[in-house]
Amino acid sequence: MREKELRLALICYGGISLAVYMHGITKEIWHLARASRAFHDEETAPSPTSLIYAGLFESIAVTSGLKLRVLADIIAGASAGGINGIFLAQAIATGQSLDPLTDLWLESADVDSLLDPQAKASHRFSKFWATPLVWAFSGRQGATWDDDLDEQTRDEINAKLTRFVRARWFEPPFGGETFTRLLLDAFDAMGKQAVGPRLLPDEQPLDLFVTVTDFHGHPETLKLNSPAQIIENEHRLTFAFRDAPGEPDLLDAVENLTFAARATASFPGAFPPFTAAELDRVLGSSNREWSDRDAFLTRVLPRRAASELIDKAVLIDGSVLANAPFRPAIEALKQRPARREVDRRFVYIDPKPGIRSVKINRGGEAEIPGFFTTIFGALSDIPREQPIRDNLEALEQRSARIKRMRLIVEKLRPDVEASVAGLFGRTLFIDRPNPARLAGWRQRAEERAARDAGHSYVSYCQLKMANIVDAAPPKARAILVEDSETLTPLEFFAKHDIAYRIRRLRFLGRTLAELEEAYPDAHFEKVSAALYERLAYYLDLEAAPDLSADLLALDGATDAAIAEALAACPKADRRAPLLAYLGFPFYDVATLALLQGEGFDEFDEIKVDRISPDEAQSIRTGDASATLKGIQFNSFGAFFSRTYRENDYLWGRLHGAERLVDIVVSTLPASARLDPSMIASTKQDLFHAILDEEAVRLTHIAPLIAALRTELAGGKKGKTSLDRDETQ
């Protein structure tokens, strides 16, 4: 059975209290990843929802002969999306449960819990004059916002709005240390739960990025012609974390992840700016150590470390300047391992497309905005709502470049195969390959490729040498420069060119994947296993360069492993892998300059999918306002009501399930697509399973759950908001 990986690079937007909705979506991604891992390992899925996803994988296998595995291996987030991305990454890397985070959002993401104790009204008459503002805000005096709410929920929101408005003004009402303690408690609660397996293959790295804004900025030196250099302040920061192969299943220390989560979600005006001193105080109050404090701060704030200003760094919300952090996720695509065919998707979670977090009346398009409208729009609204066109264009350009490269390889294939066959004659396909023959053939093919390249081989060699030197640690560069001047190009590459060897094996891996798809009855399993086992040695050496390493000995062991695997194949199945392995130098000379560092790993076009209320229309139609409550009060709505949080969390799971099924099914070739009725049935089963799982926890919206069951049973779409009798 042919294997394929659907790899998800998740981009989680900011959304203030819509973090609860996004948690429902990321939790569904977690369920899908657990189901995929269980299906691949032939184990029972760990939850009713996961069982349904596993059933979908089984149906795909039966229908298309494709064993699909879903991996979430790149996660980038800002603000509320940054928090959800961090916790999802922690669950994927460690095998921990996300359930404790659900409790955090539902129980603690509330105005009464988040208000700084010192910000609360000191007595019942404090700012009593502000109470009429709350009435006007909530509709007590004739406004009609949310008339569908029952009286109990309305009273809850009015009471909390009153406490919120009567809290201190001109200082952030929410407590920074309070928030930090909540985040630490959530990580600790996850660590106390039963731990399952890591949700990625052992060889697959997990990359996490969260955006942060350095309020004061840090100096960056820019080189010019005249003057020679200038200094500018840079405010954008990206904190990067990686769970790498061969290391313990640990994304990073809990204290470091808490630092990142608190910093990325320091929403201006609501929370105080974040500093390392705040985390120091919180940890100190519980006698908790931050063992690698200095090393971590030096890593994430390198410019401030150099100027010894780390402790003075003031950090605010990451969505201020980068609400849609596509760029670091795109950069992470380089040098990803590829053991089988890959379908790479960028999936971005946007909880409220077209609905602004901070609503400002800008007037009509022909109307010139006023003073305050212009100021507040520039400072708060416009930056975080910028479209992602530039990011999508970058992905489109990369996909176009990859498509062009694959076309070049296909056009070269007949000539390359003819050159290899002519070079070795019939013995290439008649004799059993052995290590000595394979090594000799490989060396002769490299020499012929160099000779056939003519003048272009000089530029090819210069590019490879530059790449090798640039990638080396600073202390090794002098040695490499000396070797480049004293050795012939072939001698230099034989001694130092690890990247070439990795490209060659990955190219062979891609060829095997294509052969397995084209010829399901062929037997390439042993060749594939040997290939990726040997590739691991080169990848380890690339990660920790060692100029004393004997690459020729490593090559000999690789030739031996591949020769043994090829010898075990039927004679008819040896030809194509041999032509790819020996013909690679011809392809590399022609394409290296155009690859721009991508290599032959994820050498596929990238597709982009969105998860938002606008696409999830199976149950209820409409945009975010049709189902979500957190969009109210400038996206702070869910902080004022447990009912609102339960509503948004449930819809997050339901919308996430629907869209994930769509994305999984779309990876199948058109000739093997599942029957539409089967897809609809899978979605219905997931909806019912989610309602069953959450009915005990979500007690404030029991009537809504009952109404949804009725709608699903009747196959009709429901109303567009919570009715009076749907909440308690």
Side-chain angles (χ1 to χ4, degrees):
M1 182 172 292
R2 183 165 61 94
E3 294 190 357
K4 184 176 184 178
E5 289 180 352
L6 172 59
R7 295 186 180 178
L8 307 180
L10 301 173
I11 314 297
C12 305
Y13 283 20
I16 314 177
S17 76
L18 288 166
V20 185
Y21 171 74
M22 288 188 284
H23 168 62
I25 295 174
T26 56
K27 193 169 184 182
E28 209 56 33
I29 293 169
W30 174 65
H31 280 295
L32 178 66
R34 291 204 300 168
S36 175
R37 174 73 191 231
F39 177 72
H40 186 271
D41 293 346
E42 299 182 353
E43 298 176 352
T44 302
S47 70
T49 309
S50 298
L51 278 171
I52 297 171
Y53 286 124
L56 176 62
F57 294 136
E58 181 64 36
S59 298
I60 290 172
V62 172
T63 303
S64 64
L66 183 69
K67 189 172 184 180
L68 184 66
R69 185 166 189 176
V70 180
L71 311 175
D73 65 332
I74 300 174
I75 300 173
S79 192
I83 294 179
N84 280 302
I86 289 170
F87 279 97
L88 175 61
Q90 176 78 340
I92 291 172
T94 64
Q96 295 174 357
S97 172
L98 273 182
D99 282 330
L101 185 59
T102 302
D103 297 333
L104 167 71
W105 288 127
L106 295 182
E107 296 173 10
S108 302
D110 187 274
V111 164
D112 286 348
S113 298
L114 294 173
L115 276 177
D116 190 322
Q118 298 180 7
K120 296 179 180 179
S122 58
H123 54 81
R124 66 191 184 95
F125 295 109
S126 294
K127 293 187 190 167
F128 191 72
W129 55 268
T131 301
L133 297 176
V134 180
W135 295 344
F137 198 28
S138 60
R140 281 282 187 91
Q141 305 231 326
T144 58
W145 75 272
D146 225 12
D147 280 342
D148 52 346
L149 285 178
D150 65 279
E151 194 64 27
Q152 181 177 344
T153 302
R154 183 186 293 275
D155 289 345
E156 175 197 9
I157 295 173
N158 285 334
K160 290 178 178 177
L161 271 172
T162 299
R163 289 192 288 275
F164 180 73
V165 172
R166 291 172 60 203
R168 68 184 179 198
W169 290 8
F170 306 114
E171 289 186 54
F174 294 154
E177 293 185 20
T178 301
F179 191 20
T180 298
R181 288 191 185 92
L182 291 175
L183 293 169
L184 276 170
D185 290 345
F187 278 116
D188 291 342
M190 286 177 64
K192 294 175 182 177
Q193 297 275 326
V195 176
R198 183 177 187 262
L199 298 182
L200 289 174
D202 292 339
E203 74 279 356
Q204 189 75 15
L206 169 65
D207 285 295
L208 167 68
F209 306 95
V210 292
T211 60
V212 177
T213 303
D214 184 344
F215 182 77
H216 293 301
H218 52 274
E220 291 279 2
T221 302
L222 303 179
K223 295 182 179 180
L224 305 179
N225 178 57
S226 176
Q229 64 181 31
I230 61 172
I231 304 296
E232 286 196 348
N233 249 18
E234 175 61 75
H235 296 269
R236 294 170 298 178
L237 290 172
T238 299
F239 292 172
F241 301 87
R242 172 172 262 225
D243 177 33
E247 298 179 1
D249 294 337
L250 179 68
L251 189 62
D252 210 323
V254 165
E255 295 78 15
N256 299 342
L257 296 175
T258 300
F259 183 100
R262 171 67 178 87
T264 190
S266 184
F267 192 84
F271 292 97
F274 177 64
T275 64
E278 179 186 296
L279 183 54
D280 288 333
R281 291 192 298 271
V282 171
L283 295 174
S285 65
S286 57
N287 295 318
R288 184 167 182 162
E289 292 186 0
W290 189 1
S291 58
D292 64 340
R293 178 188 190 276
D294 294 342
F296 171 74
L297 294 178
T298 299
R299 178 168 68 84
V300 298
L301 301 170
R303 297 293 187 272
R304 289 189 169 274
S307 57
E308 299 182 353
L309 293 174
I310 282 183
D311 289 328
K312 295 184 179 180
V314 176
L315 307 176
I316 63 174
D317 196 282
S319 68
V320 171
L321 295 177
N323 190 49
F326 275 81
R327 185 169 299 279
I330 295 172
E331 289 297 315
L333 290 177
K334 295 179 180 179
Q335 305 305 322
R336 308 297 289 183
R339 294 193 170 220
R340 51 194 59 84
E341 183 183 357
V342 172
D343 184 344
R344 167 62 72 184
R345 302 296 180 91
F346 268 62
V347 178
Y348 70 98
I349 302 173
D350 186 354
K352 48 181 181 54
I355 300 177
R356 300 184 179 278
S357 295
V358 182
K359 298 178 182 177
I360 298 173
N361 183 13
R362 293 187 176 138
E365 290 186 4
E367 185 178 336
I368 302 298
F371 176 79
F372 286 107
T373 299
T374 303
I375 294 297
F376 283 110
L379 293 180
S380 62
D381 198 12
I382 294 174
R384 71 180 66 249
E385 301 294 347
Q386 269 291 53
I388 60 171
R389 184 186 68 245
D390 292 348
N391 300 301
L392 296 182
E393 287 178 352
L395 289 173
E396 184 179 353
Q397 290 168 4
R398 183 184 188 277
S399 293
R401 189 166 61 251
I402 288 172
K403 188 174 182 179
R404 187 163 58 248
M405 290 303 96
R406 294 183 64 179
L407 181 61
I408 290 173
V409 169
E410 287 302 312
K411 294 295 184 181
L412 286 174
R413 193 183 303 277
D415 289 341
V416 170
E417 292 184 350
S419 295
V420 174
L423 184 61
F424 303 115
R426 298 181 61 190
T427 57
L428 181 65
F429 310 115
I430 295 177
D431 296 338
R432 289 171 59 87
N434 60 46
R437 283 199 183 106
L438 196 57
W441 291 341
R442 179 172 50 76
Q443 185 174 353
R444 287 177 61 191
E446 291 171 356
E447 293 170 352
R448 175 59 66 87
R451 215 168 36 244
D452 290 353
H455 297 301
S456 63
Y457 188 70
V458 176
S459 60
Y460 169 74
C461 289
Q462 291 300 314
L463 177 60
K464 289 217 298 178
M465 286 183 180
N467 289 342
I468 293 169
V469 173
D470 291 344
K475 293 182 179 179
R477 290 177 185 171
I479 299 174
L480 291 170
V481 170
E482 182 180 351
D483 281 353
S484 69
E485 294 172 350
T486 57
L487 301 176
T488 67
L490 288 178
E491 291 172 338
F492 178 84
F493 298 141
K495 185 177 181 180
H496 297 299
D497 197 351
I498 301 171
Y500 171 83
R501 291 154 165 97
I502 293 173
R503 290 197 302 273
R504 179 177 63 210
L505 292 178
R506 282 178 166 158
F507 179 73
L508 176 57
R510 172 159 190 84
T511 301
L512 290 172
E514 294 172 348
L515 291 170
E516 288 171 348
E517 181 176 1
Y519 306 103
D521 297 331
H523 299 281
F524 300 113
E525 297 87 355
K526 291 185 178 180
V527 181
S528 183
L531 156 69
Y532 287 109
E533 179 185 354
R534 299 309 307 172
L535 177 60
Y537 290 97
Y538 295 105
L539 291 173
D540 290 344
L541 197 55
E542 182 184 47
D546 180 5
L547 295 186
S548 65
D550 190 346
L551 291 184
L552 294 179
L554 197 57
D555 292 342
T558 300
D559 289 332
I562 291 178
E564 181 180 357
L566 285 171
C569 291
K571 186 180 297 184
D573 293 344
R574 296 177 199 162
R575 183 180 189 276
L578 267 175
L579 288 173
Y581 189 60
L582 300 177
F584 176 72
F586 296 89
Y587 297 113
D588 200 50
V589 168
T591 62
L592 180 63
L594 299 175
L595 285 172
Q596 299 183 18
E598 271 120 6
F600 280 96
D601 40 11
E602 291 192 9
F603 204 49
D604 294 275
E605 299 174 60
I606 296 173
K607 302 180 181 70
V608 181
D609 299 285
R610 184 176 74 176
I611 298 180
S612 80
D614 290 21
E615 290 79 49
Q617 304 282 300
S618 291
I619 302 177
R620 293 190 176 180
T621 57
D623 61 8
S625 62
T627 52
L628 304 186
K629 294 300 180 183
I631 62 173
Q632 296 180 9
F633 309 143
N634 284 333
S635 299
F636 280 82
F639 291 150
F640 292 98
S641 170
R642 166 89 186 210
T643 299
Y644 277 15
R645 293 193 294 278
E646 290 190 4
N647 174 85
D648 288 4
Y649 164 67
L650 178 63
W651 281 111
R653 287 204 64 186
L654 294 171
H655 288 169
E658 177 176 350
R659 292 295 292 135
L660 288 174
V661 170
D662 293 337
I663 292 169
V664 167
V665 171
S666 70
T667 196
L668 301 177
S671 60
R673 291 285 168 88
L674 299 180
D675 185 88
S677 63
M678 184 179 183
I679 298 172
S681 176
T682 298
K683 291 181 180 179
Q684 290 282 313
D685 290 344
L686 280 169
F687 297 153
H688 283 293
I690 290 169
L691 295 177
D692 291 343
E693 288 179 5
E694 299 295 349
V696 175
R697 175 188 281 125
L698 307 182
T699 56
H700 288 63
I701 57 169
L704 171 62
I705 292 176
L708 288 173
R709 292 188 193 279
T710 301
E711 293 169 20
L712 291 171
K716 62 179 182 180
K717 291 179 170 56
K719 300 177 182 179
T720 59
S721 61
L722 292 172
D723 295 324
R724 288 182 184 274
D725 59 349
E726 287 183 2
T727 58
Q728 294 182 345

